[in-house]
């Protein structure tokens, strides 16, 4: 288990980083700590891989993610022994396609992310 806590405060976004109002109306009033977490998410993933470099799977959970360990264990066994080949890559999580807003697809991690 690796717990990563992003900073509560971070530098302001670059002036050139324009907020897309079509995609982000719901997030406009969220606190700065939420915005910092979005910008530092991959640092947590880097820490996880650094501490456990040879794992078959990584599961990313946020503070509001409910985890049913028996179901997750059964899913991992099924994937490892019946579904995936050795060279296969896997991503499971909630993708959010914002291409009509001229943004790349993003990942919403509240439901958990399996890599």
């Amino acid at each position: 288990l690796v717990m990563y806590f992003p900073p509560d405060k971070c530098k302001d976004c670059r002036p050139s980083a324009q907020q897309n109002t079509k995609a982000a109306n719901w997030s406009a009033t969220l606190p700065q700590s939420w915005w910092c977490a979005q910008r530092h998410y991959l640092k947590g993933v880097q820490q996880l891989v650094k501490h456990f470099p040879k794992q078959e799977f990584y599961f990313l959970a946020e503070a509001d993610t409910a985890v049913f360990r028996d179901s997750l264990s059964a899913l991992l066994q099924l994937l490892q022994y019946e579904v995936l080949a050795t060279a296969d890559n896997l991503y499971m999580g909630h993708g959010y396609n914002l291409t009509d807003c001229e943004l790349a697809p993003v990942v919403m991690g509240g439901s958990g992310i399996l890599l």
Side-chain angles (χ1 to χ4, degrees):
L1 175 66
V2 172
M3 295 188 69
Y4 176 76
F5 298 97
D8 288 336
K9 295 180 181 171
C10 55
K11 295 179 185 177
D12 289 335
C13 292
R14 298 182 317 268
S16 62
Q18 299 284 327
Q19 183 177 13
N20 186 315
T21 55
K22 289 181 184 177
N25 282 340
W26 63 271
S27 60
T29 59
L30 292 172
Q32 183 183 21
S33 58
W34 184 88
W35 287 101
C36 288
Q38 308 319 301
R39 293 166 47 191
H40 291 269
Y41 198 86
L42 289 178
K43 289 182 182 180
V45 175
Q46 286 175 325
Q47 261 189 14
L48 178 64
V49 173
K50 180 181 174 183
H51 282 66
F52 302 99
K54 298 185 186 260
Q55 298 303 305
E56 295 287 331
F57 299 100
Y58 297 97
F59 183 73
L60 311 178
E62 296 184 2
D64 59 349
T65 303
V67 179
F68 300 95
R69 292 180 63 166
D70 291 343
S71 298
L72 180 59
S73 179
L75 174 65
L76 293 175
Q77 285 195 350
L78 179 70
L79 289 170
Q80 187 168 14
Y81 297 112
E82 297 182 34
V83 176
L84 298 174
T86 304
D88 287 346
N89 293 316
L90 172 75
Y91 159 78
M92 293 178 73
H94 179 77
Y96 189 40
N97 189 348
L98 299 173
T99 53
D100 61 329
C101 300
E102 299 178 14
L103 294 174
V106 297
V107 175
M108 307 296 262
S111 60
I113 299 170
L114 181 62
L115 302 171

